[in-house]
Amino acid sequence: MLPDLPELDVSGGLNFKETELTLGLPGEIGRGTSSFIQITAGSSSAKLTGTKRGFSQAAMDLNLGRSFYVEHDGSCCEQSESENEDLSVAKPPAAKAQIVGWPPVRAFRRNVMTKSCNLVKVSMDGAPYLRKVDLEMYDSYQQLLSALEDMFSCPTIPYTYPTRNYLDEKKLMDPTSGVEYVPTYEDKDGDLMLVGDVPWKMFVESCKRLRLIKGSEAIGQLHAPRTPQPSAASCTST
Amino acid sequence: MDPERKKVVERVAVSTFPDEVLERVLVQLKSHKDRSSVSLVCHSWYDAERFSRTHVFIANCYSVTPEIVSRRFPNIRSVSLKGKPRFSDFNLVPPNWGANIRSWLVMFAAKYPFLEELRLKRMTVTDESLEFLALSFPNFKALSLFSCDGFSTDGLAAIATHCKNLAELDIQENDLNDKSGSWLSCFPENFSSLEVLNFANLSNDVNFEALERLVSRCKSLKVLKVNRNITLEQLPRLLIRAPLLTELGTGSFLQEHPACQYSELENAFNKCMNLNTLSGLSEVTALSLPALYPACANLTFMNLSCAALQSGEFAKLLVHCPCLRRLWVLDTVEDKGLEAVGSNCPLLEELRVFPTDPFDEDTFHGVTESGFIAVSYGCRRLSYVLYFCRQMTNAAVATIVQNCPDFTHFRLCIMNPWQPDYQTNEPMDEAFCAVVKSCTKLQRLAVSGLLTDLTFEYIGKYAKNLETLSVAFAGSSDWGMQCVLGGCPKLRKLEIRDCPFGNAALLSGLDKYESMRSLWMSDCKVTMNGCRVLAKEMPRLNVEVIKVDGSNESQADKVYVYRSVAGPRRDAPPFVLTL
């Protein structure tokens, strides 16, 4: 059973609003605010009541231009280092307007998570949102899969150490639909690999992103593992 | 006073309460609010109170001068001082704004040579000041610095070196220059009086052997919070030397060598019979967490806000913590984790849920309204909440306050500004209406989400005990702020940012501000002229405008208004205009 999403009705279909094309600044949208975007051509949701205001519309109302945006030349020295790095590396300027001092979280807290944690995104085919796991939290594949099971509410089929016949060994299954998901990951080179083929530590270092692929589609997409199959003696035990 | 009354007072004063007796009685009074009330009864009580007061709490360092304080209270041993406006924690106050402790220390050295305790919040403290402090007060026992700036670890070295009777060193969440961990080694080898040591937020290594010896020597050590450089392997060596610990902040909880140290760790935690507070746990893993279980039985406060726990292991941990009253977590525990809170912590009074990735909206799930609802069903005694989330509904909040009507502190932060109820697309007005109607004891409120003036009408009308209100990106017009200033009889602190409130709103509070501690308004619609009018009408208020580079001449970018008997600041930097 997929976790309860606000826009999903019980039968599990995607709400149209989530996928509706709308105008608005990219990256400013939090969950559930798709209707918050001000102009949707032809859609009835565009009827603005007095209270609904779009992001930039409201910004103009409040003459917020000044304090609103973080300067990108690094002169806004009050921002913590990690934020400045974020801005200069990842995001195009006005697309993600970052407000000074918002959310109201003290500087030292912002640094809490940037230290030695290895957060990778986890996507599941068919789920309209991503999750993140910290690979440093786990010592073994078993723990990781167990956590994924919690996160996506799918029971894992009992773990056994991976062999060549990998499609039988490690899957997650969605009990309502009976669809099986194979845990895969993208490595540093961008190749799609099966989770469990390399020793745990090597996996943690090379894994950039996790993807839970529907079993039927997994076969064609996977690369054969490039590292030789480890012997039982050198494998990472749980 | 009419003659009849005067006779009664005199009779009582002479026969029952000679001054010395009165002072003996008043010495028992600790609360500064009670003491303020006592001092207003009559002259002799005013005098008795001021001679018997040993601790003074100054909530705004610019509201009074050191001279006035020392004249009134000659026998002070302990001082608590707060400086900058709270929004300075979020970078809304430029550096070098002020609140320097120096002039206070000079007065203390002259008038309170027996000063024992100094607790500072949001003050600027230099290394020179710390050295001056260390050398000027032979009886100095307790230093607590919270959210301060201006000093480095050299200043801490001076404290460690010279304060022979130090019992408390509490360095929390400061913006300091962390040069090295060598300050810890400055405690003399015969120094043994420490009872509280908190250096959890410092980032350099301290000499572990020196720390171990220090802990060994200080037989009365009750509070120990180390930084994340102290490893899990080192922790048991500290724990066995500190059997009286009631509060522990661990360092890193990452296990490097699985099998062997686990038992040592478990043994050490087994011996922690007196722990009521636990924090730290950075880099904790599913494997290392169970070592804690033996120590959790009597825990009343657990601070997991530096530990990225997922819901599974968090739920397992909670089973062992039935006595929790205060809990701080990261939103990595998600709604499922909060359901576990509801199921396992019936005594919970305070919950704080911090955001892991405040600026990364698109991938991290965090917590939603359902987690909060789950907690409210299981923890009916909840009275303090700080909740960061990305979605909320009016109905959810209504349910929550129906389950928990005893809230005294309700701080909800929906992280996207102007976000409506995500199910109905309505503003969040009704949510806060429910809060102020149901929670009659509410003292502190922080609002968020899409809010019209209606929210503030409700607040003004129903929040009779509200003392602190924080507002951001809310309201539709001056009317909103006028409602708050016109209602809320106990309002003391009002802090507002990025709201459409202008001069009419500002000036509607003319009669109110003297009964309040302070008002902060930044990036609203107030102009310099409006501020000038306020300053002119109310000479006993300090009306200060912080000018931001490049802004419009007539706009008052950031306004800070506070009552003061000290007159205008004499140390204001150029960007602070006193009107």
Side-chain angles (χ1 to χ4, degrees), chain B residues 296-301 318 321-327 340-351 375-384 404 406:
Chain B
C296 292
N298 296 320
L299 280 188
T300 55
F301 177 26
L318 284 179
C321 311
C323 299
L324 277 185
R325 291 182 201 280
R326 300 174 63 201
L327 178 62
V341 173
S343 309
N344 289 293
C345 307
L347 300 178
L348 199 69
E349 295 166 6
E350 175 179 329
L351 175 67
V375 174
S376 76
Y377 274 112
C379 310
R380 300 293 175 128
R381 298 189 200 185
L382 209 55
S383 58
Y384 191 121
C404 303
D406 293 333

Side-chain angles (χ1 to χ4, degrees), chain B residues 301-368:
Chain B
F301 177 26
M302 197 154 65
N303 178 355
L304 300 171
S305 60
C306 295
L309 288 178
Q310 313 274 12
S311 57
E313 47 265 358
F314 177 58
K316 289 188 201 129
L317 171 64
L318 284 179
V319 169
H320 299 266
C321 311
C323 299
L324 277 185
R325 291 182 201 280
R326 300 174 63 201
L327 178 62
W328 296 14
V329 293
L330 278 177
D331 65 1
T332 49
V333 302
E334 298 190 354
D335 291 333
K336 246 183 150 187
L338 294 181
E339 283 165 30
V341 173
S343 309
N344 289 293
C345 307
L347 300 178
L348 199 69
E349 295 166 6
E350 175 179 329
L351 175 67
R352 302 195 195 197
V353 182
F354 293 97
T356 318
D357 239 337
F359 304 108
D360 190 351
E361 300 169 351
D362 39 49
T363 56
F364 219 166
H365 196 65
V367 293
T368 71

Side-chain angles (χ1 to χ4, degrees), chain B residues 29-66:
Chain B
L29 270 185
K30 303 295 177 207
S31 147
H32 64 272
K33 281 186 185 164
D34 288 342
R35 282 184 161 272
S36 289
S37 307
V38 159
S39 68
L40 293 172
V41 169
C42 64
H43 278 300
S44 66
W45 280 48
Y46 177 89
D47 279 334
E49 192 280 313
R50 75 186 186 92
F51 282 110
S52 68
R53 195 186 288 216
T54 56
H55 170 247
V56 69
F57 166 59
I58 299 158
N60 175 358
C61 64
Y62 287 117
S63 63
V64 69
T65 65

Side-chain angles (χ1 to χ4, degrees), chain B residues 30 87 171 237 274 298 409 489 566-567:
Chain B
K30 303 295 177 207
F87 278 178
I171 311 296
R237 289 159 64 182
N274 301 311
N298 296 320
H409 297 67

Side-chain angles (χ1 to χ4, degrees), chain A residues 6 35 64 106 116 130-131, chain B residues 173 283 334 363 422 425 498:
Chain A
S35 54
L64 286 177
R106 287 219 201 90
S116 74
L130 301 178
R131 307 295 281 272
Chain B
E173 301 182 23
E283 301 170 307
E334 298 190 354
T363 56
Y422 77 91
N425 279 320
D498 297 283

Side-chain angles (χ1 to χ4, degrees), chain B residues 369-394:
Chain B
E369 77 280 5
S370 26
F372 200 169
I373 292 175
V375 174
S376 76
Y377 274 112
C379 310
R380 300 293 175 128
R381 298 189 200 185
L382 209 55
S383 58
Y384 191 121
V385 74
L386 170 61
Y387 201 83
F388 284 86
C389 59
R390 293 194 200 285
Q391 64 186 51
M392 189 52 62
T393 67
N394 289 306

Side-chain angles (χ1 to χ4, degrees), chain B residues 435-467:
Chain B
V435 171
V436 293
K437 270 185 172 168
S438 303
C439 306
T440 53
K441 299 183 226 169
L442 195 70
Q443 291 167 25
R444 182 170 179 184
L445 178 64
V447 299
S448 58
L450 183 65
L451 299 174
T452 70
D453 286 341
L454 201 52
T455 294
F456 302 102
E457 279 186 40
Y458 292 136
I459 293 175
K461 192 170 171 195
Y462 294 109
K464 294 302 174 199
N465 286 312
L466 192 67
E467 297 180 10

Side-chain angles (χ1 to χ4, degrees), chain A residues 4-7 17 27-33 35-36 49 51-56 58-59 61-64 66-68 77-80 83 86 91 96 98-113 115-116 119 121 129-134 136-139 143 147 149-151 153, chain B residues 89-92 94-95 122 146-147 173 201 203 228 254 283-287 305-306 308-313 328 330 332 334 336 354-365 388 390-391 413-420 422 425 427 448 450 452 472-473 475 497-500 523 525 548-551:
Chain A
D4 226 358
L5 289 181
E7 292 87 4
K17 276 216 175 110
E28 73 193 28
I29 312 151
R31 287 197 44 71
T33 56
S35 54
F36 172 53
T49 65
T51 52
K52 256 197 294 194
R53 287 171 301 163
F55 192 84
S56 52
D61 280 347
L62 299 178
N63 292 323
L64 286 177
R66 178 107 286 287
S67 78
F68 214 68
C77 52
E78 288 116 17
Q79 294 296 317
S80 67
E83 284 169 59
D86 250 352
K91 283 131 186 136
K96 188 161 181 136
Q98 212 162 86
I99 307 166
V100 173
W102 190 265
V105 171
R106 287 219 201 90
F108 91 99
R109 275 198 194 287
R110 293 200 197 118
N111 296 328
V112 159
M113 287 305 290
K115 303 222 161 146
S116 74
L119 284 173
K121 297 183 186 178
Y129 58 89
L130 301 178
R131 307 295 281 272
K132 270 188 181 174
V133 284
D134 177 4
E136 301 290 345
M137 282 282 303
Y138 310 103
D139 287 333
Q143 285 181 10
E149 158 194 318
D150 272 344
M151 205 176 278
S153 299
Chain B
D89 284 348
F90 317 122
N91 299 324
L92 289 184
R122 292 189 201 103
F146 185 93
S147 202
E173 301 182 23
N201 299 128
S203 47
R228 56 172 69 206
L254 182 65
E283 301 170 307
V284 67
T285 69
L287 209 58
S305 60
C306 295
L309 288 178
Q310 313 274 12
S311 57
E313 47 265 358
W328 296 14
L330 278 177
T332 49
E334 298 190 354
K336 246 183 150 187
F354 293 97
T356 318
D357 239 337
F359 304 108
D360 190 351
E361 300 169 351
D362 39 49
T363 56
F364 219 166
H365 196 65
F388 284 86
R390 293 194 200 285
Q391 64 186 51
C413 182
I414 304 167
M415 288 191 272
N416 299 321
W418 309 295
Q419 181 164 313
Y422 77 91
N425 279 320
S448 58
L450 183 65
T452 70
F473 308 104
R497 62 166 292 180
D498 297 283
C499 295
D523 298 292
K525 288 183 156 180
V548 172
D549 273 339
S551 71

